Amino acid sequence: MRVSLLLALLLAPLLAGCPPIQPCTDCLEVAGEYLIRAQPIDGLSGGGPDNPCGAVAFPGVNDRLLITQAGSQLTASGWMELDGTLYEDDSLILGPEHYLQTAQGEVLLSLTGLFVPARDGWVVQGQVVFDIPMQACTTSTPLELVQQP
């Protein structure tokens, strides 16, 4: 179940007729300290059979995240501990990892995005993705990672 989101993200290009994205072999050097910012999700509906994603509450984040790198393998620590992969197209997937337990089931969190050059390093524009595998529910909020000099 933990890999359902990862598999969906990796299989989407294949199902669309594109070759699957592979982990990078000539990887960008992206290790460093990042400021992570993401918008909150209120979760006010509380979820339920008709709206399981309504159970996801996220206070947002404005914190630091340290990314270490060994080739295509990435590890994030600080705000949250996540392992992941850097891909040939300069995208990343960190997670999924356990975020919280709700009446609708376990909520998994992943960070996805694309590295783009910035003045002082890298910026990632992406999503914080929440997945409740037992309910086939996925929701997200915008994410920005800014490498610190």
Side-chain angles (χ1 to χ4, degrees):
M1 293 277 194
R2 288 185 177 261
V3 297
S4 64
L5 176 63
L6 180 59
L7 288 175
L9 290 170
L10 292 176
L11 290 177
L14 182 61
L15 297 175
C18 302
I21 300 169
Q22 298 295 317
C24 60
T25 53
D26 184 20
C27 302
L28 300 173
E29 295 295 327
V30 298
E33 185 176 355
Y34 289 78
L35 176 62
I36 178 172
R37 291 184 284 233
Q39 298 299 310
I41 297 175
D42 65 24
L44 292 177
S45 68
D50 295 330
N51 182 18
C53 280
V56 176
F58 177 65
V61 64
N62 187 1
D63 206 339
R64 302 224 176 242
L65 192 70
L66 179 65
I67 296 179
T68 58
Q69 178 179 9
S72 65
Q73 298 303 302
L74 303 175
T75 301
S77 59
W79 171 68
M80 193 160 182
E81 308 293 318
L82 298 162
D83 292 320
T85 304
L86 179 60
Y87 293 93
E88 288 178 344
D89 65 351
D90 303 335
S91 66
L92 82 153
I93 299 175
L94 292 169
E97 286 295 328
H98 173 82
Y99 176 65
L100 63 93
Q101 188 69 38
T102 70
Q104 285 73 35
E106 180 181 32
V107 178
L108 303 175
L109 177 146
S110 300
L111 304 181
T112 65
L114 182 67
F115 281 97
V116 294
R119 194 177 87 197
D120 292 323
W122 297 102
V123 171
V124 174
Q125 298 291 330
Q127 301 286 317
V128 180
V129 180
F130 301 90
D131 182 36
I132 305 175
M134 290 180 56
Q135 300 294 327
C137 163
T138 301
T139 190
S140 63
T141 188
L143 162 76
E144 181 180 59
L145 295 173
V146 178
Q147 191 172 29
Q148 300 300 289

